Every structure is written in structure tokens, then in C-alpha cells.
Amino acid sequence: MTSRSATTDRRTATLTGVQPTGDLHLGNYAGAIRPLARLAAEEHRAVYVFVADLHALNSRPAPAALSERTRRLAAALLACGLERPNVHVYRQSRVPAIARLAALLRNVTAKGLLNRAHAYKAAVAANAEAGRDRDHGVNVGLYDYPVLMAADILALGADEVPVGADQAQHLEIAVDLARQFARAYRTGALREPRALITDGVGTLPGLDGRKMSKSYDNTIGLLADAEVTAGRIRRIVTDSTAPDRPKDPDACPLVALLRAFADPATVEEVETRYREGGIGYGEVKALLAEVIEQHAAPLRRRHEQLLADPAALEERLSRGERHARERADQVLARAMTAVGL
Ligand code: ADP
Ligand code: TRP
């Protein structure tokens, strides 16, 4: 299987990217990485997973922080179930055909389309609210983020792209640009991808009960030490119902987290005790810490091993990058010919 060449592989190409913005949290894992690992376990797929390091530049991270986060994220992806022969992990910036395809796509991208993209619109709305110029603080990297994202997808000839619902608009733009390119130049030069939207049903709550997110600073790290994680879990906000009073399991963030990580029998037992009023939050928190530790310990060990040998990690990523480059270079060559270069 490893010997299958990038250009002759006819399996379903499944592709997704993750931005190196910080260490993975339980929400990222349950909502994005674990579902991806499940897709990758089906051998009819060739899976392309990349660290979106070029995308991360639009928030102007400090250079040392960017390279460190990129390395940690690449190792985390591998450690979280993606160390498989049919999975290619790479850094976006190491596949130059992506940025070159983006340069071609820009000329079939209507500026109005980008004016309507969510991230840019949100920045404009925040500026309007603060009474500033509409484009205050907006760089072109943020503005044309959807073009680079379309290039990520189209350059690798992806068939399907698993993403959260927040990325649905970006996927529509990628499809749109593939069509614009076909209309302007040649049909079939770029493959139209299909979005696999992960539903929000599995959205995990954070410490304050809102969606777990870096933006809310309410996360529980996936690869942190057991004591750190247990400490975060103790900080999860619950109501003040006494241990011997009945509680609604569906309203409790602890149960939502337990459902994502514990076996069904444990979850059922806890839910029954909630309804019948025989469980205190301290006990549930201790159980949750234990369940998460069981799940996370092997991932954390593998992550540490991968980080401890930078040369081996570099070699792993280089392998993914060679494969991705081979595939993307073919697509770029077709697109270049189509435009007359
Ligand atoms: P954050 O909100 O912490 O910045 P990102 O937007 O970088 O997280 O999300 C990366 C991926 O993780 C996305 O595909 C998203 O669907 C998934 N994800 C993020 N937070 C959660 C959550 N609380 N529950 C489920 N999935 C999540
Ligand atoms: N924009 C995605 C996010 O913020 C990350 C991403 C970049 C991506 N390029 C991609 C996802 C291509 C899927 C396909 O989560």
C-alpha cells in the first residue's frame, strides 16, 4: 500500500487541514481528529491531512511560536490515530504547488465573493461596531483565505473534505472556483470536491458550558499531563444541586463530556444515578478525569515519543510532503497548461 504512487492512486481522496493555532483540546479531538481517524481506518480512502501553516500567517504569529506549534500539531495528528500507511501528513508550506495554484485561482475569483466570506465579514462588522474604518487590521491573507483554502483542496484533487459546519461556506467557495476555472479554461482540469460536514451534535462544552473553544479560553487540553487535565475538569462549572437531589443529565456538561469518552454502560449508569438523585458532581468529575486519562494516556505517550526524535519526525513529514508534492504537481501542470502558461 505504501508503494502506491501519488499519481496513480485511484482511491477516494479525503483531505482536511488543521490550523496550528495552539495545542489540541478535547473538542478538536472529538469533533475533528477522531472522526477523521475513523474515516482513515477505511482502507478505500487515501487520506491527506495537513498543518495549515500558511493559513496561520494571517494572524501574524511570532515566527518561533509558529514553527513550534506546527511541529507539535503534526506530531499530535500522527499520535491521534493517523499513523497509517494510507494517511499522508504534511505541512502546507512544503507543497509549493498549492500557493501557485492559488495564484491562478485568484484571477477567476470575483472580489464580491470574498467580500461575503464569513471571516472577513465578521472583521468588517467588528470594525463598524467600534467605529473604525471597515478594513482596519484586515490583511489580504485574511481577505483571500478562501482562495488559498480552495487551492489546498483542488491542488490535491480531493474527492471529499471532512470539516465542521463553520467551514461549509469555504467548501462552497472551493467548488465555485473549480467551476469558474472550468468555465474560463477547461472542464475537468480541477476536480470538484464534496463537503463531509460533521454535524454539531457532538459539539463538546468547555469549562463554562459554552462550546469548548480557544476563543473562549475554556478548553481542556488533549495532550496535557493527567494532573493538569484533572485540575481543569475540577473547574467545570456545575449548578448547586445537592448530591442526593435528582438532576437532568442532558443539562450537565460533565455528562456531555462523559458521553464522548466513556463506554456506553458507564454513561448509562451515570445517567440513571443523575435521574434518581444519587450522585455528586465531585464523583462525576473524578470519574471523568479517569476516563479521559485512559483515553489520552497512549496518545500523549506517542506524541512525546514523536517530539523526542525531531529527525525521525522530520523524515515522516518529508515522506508525506513528497507524496503530496507529486500529486499536486500533476494537478498544477494541468491547470498551467489550461491557462496557457
Ligand atoms: P477553536 O474553536 O478552539 O479555535 P478550531 O476552530 O480551530 O477550534 O477547530 C478545529 C476543529 O475542531 C474544527 O473542525 C471543529 O469542528 C472542531 N471543534 C472545535 N471545537 C469543538 C468542540 N467544542 N466540539 C466539537 N468539535 C470542535
Ligand atoms: N480553514 C480550516 C479551519 O480553520 C482549516 C483548513 C485550511 C482546511 N485549509 C483547509 C480544512 C482545506 C479543510 C480543507 O478549520
Side-chain angles (χ1 to χ4, degrees):
M1 201 181 320
T2 29
S3 61
R4 255 190 246 224
S5 117
T7 48
T8 59
D9 198 336
R10 295 278 174 267
R11 289 175 296 177
T12 303
T14 306
L15 172 141
T16 201
V18 187
Q19 285 208 57
T21 41
D23 279 343
L24 291 181
H25 56 69
L26 295 180
N28 300 143
Y29 177 68
I33 312 296
R34 188 168 57 183
L36 182 65
R38 287 182 182 146
L39 291 175
E42 296 173 17
E43 297 277 336
H44 69 277
R45 290 190 164 86
V47 178
Y48 297 86
V49 191
F50 64 93
V51 179
D53 52 0
L54 288 177
H55 279 289
L57 284 172
N58 76 60
S59 62
R60 298 289 303 276
L66 178 61
S67 57
E68 179 59 12
R69 284 183 200 144
T70 297
R71 204 173 78 85
R72 289 183 64 81
L73 177 58
L77 293 170
L78 287 165
C80 291
L82 294 170
E83 262 186 302
R84 307 175 52 90
N86 61 326
V87 178
H88 310 285
V89 178
Y90 57 97
R91 289 159 291 199
Q92 176 192 31
S93 60
R94 308 296 171 104
V95 183
I98 294 171
R100 294 180 64 194
L101 183 64
L104 303 187
L105 292 174
R106 272 183 201 110
N107 307 293
V108 297
T109 308
K111 179 170 176 287
L113 183 72
L114 298 183
N115 289 339
R116 292 189 292 277
H118 292 323
Y120 174 63
K121 266 174 69 176
V124 169
N127 282 331
E129 181 136 349
R132 292 185 295 247
D133 181 85
R134 55 184 278 123
D135 284 332
H136 176 86
V138 175
N139 59 46
V140 174
L142 173 71
Y143 183 66
D144 81 350
Y145 185 107
V147 179
L148 183 57
M149 181 156 161
D152 293 328
I153 296 168
L154 302 177
L156 271 292
D159 294 296
E160 53 180 30
V161 184
V163 283
D166 61 322
Q167 298 295 314
Q169 188 197 36
H170 288 152
L171 259 292
E172 283 162 21
I173 294 176
V175 171
D176 198 41
L177 296 190
R179 288 187 186 154
Q180 294 300 339
F181 194 87
R183 200 165 301 149
Y185 299 110
R186 203 175 72 219
T187 321
L190 300 172
R191 187 177 303 175
E192 274 184 35
R194 181 170 73 251
L196 293 184
I197 307 288
T198 1
D199 57 30
V201 176
T203 300
L204 292 193
L207 302 186
D208 55 1
R210 290 188 292 174
K211 175 192 172 213
M212 189 181 292
S213 170
K214 279 184 295 284
S215 335
Y216 300 145
D217 197 16
N218 65 354
T219 61
I220 301 172
L222 171 68
L223 300 165
D225 286 338
E227 306 83 75
V228 174
T229 302
R232 297 290 281 178
I233 290 172
R234 280 195 294 275
R235 286 181 44 197
I236 296 175
V237 177
T238 49
D239 62 23
S240 50
T241 319
D244 59 353
R245 300 300 303 159
K247 308 181 235 312
D248 178 6
D250 292 331
C252 181
L254 300 174
V255 177
L257 288 162
L258 212 50
R259 283 179 185 146
F261 294 99
D263 61 87
T266 305
V267 175
E268 203 183 310
E269 189 196 321
V270 169
E271 288 181 1
T272 306
R273 290 181 61 199
Y274 264 73
R275 290 197 191 89
E276 292 171 0
I279 198 162
Y281 291 128
E283 183 186 342
V284 189
K285 287 181 173 180
L287 173 65
L288 182 61
E290 196 182 305
V291 163
I292 288 175
E293 175 56 13
Q294 267 172 21
H295 210 91
L299 310 182
R300 188 174 60 228
R301 267 197 299 277
R302 187 64 193 134
H303 189 231
E304 281 163 8
Q305 276 170 359
L306 287 161
L307 290 176
D309 189 347
L313 178 59
E314 189 58 39
E315 169 50 31
R316 289 291 285 256
L317 297 176
S318 301
R319 234 186 296 150
E321 283 148 14
R322 274 197 297 278
H323 191 91
R325 272 202 295 270
E326 216 183 298
R327 213 176 139 92
D329 283 348
Q330 296 262 331
V331 175
L332 179 67
R334 280 205 306 274
M336 295 277 276
T337 306
V339 302
L341 293 176

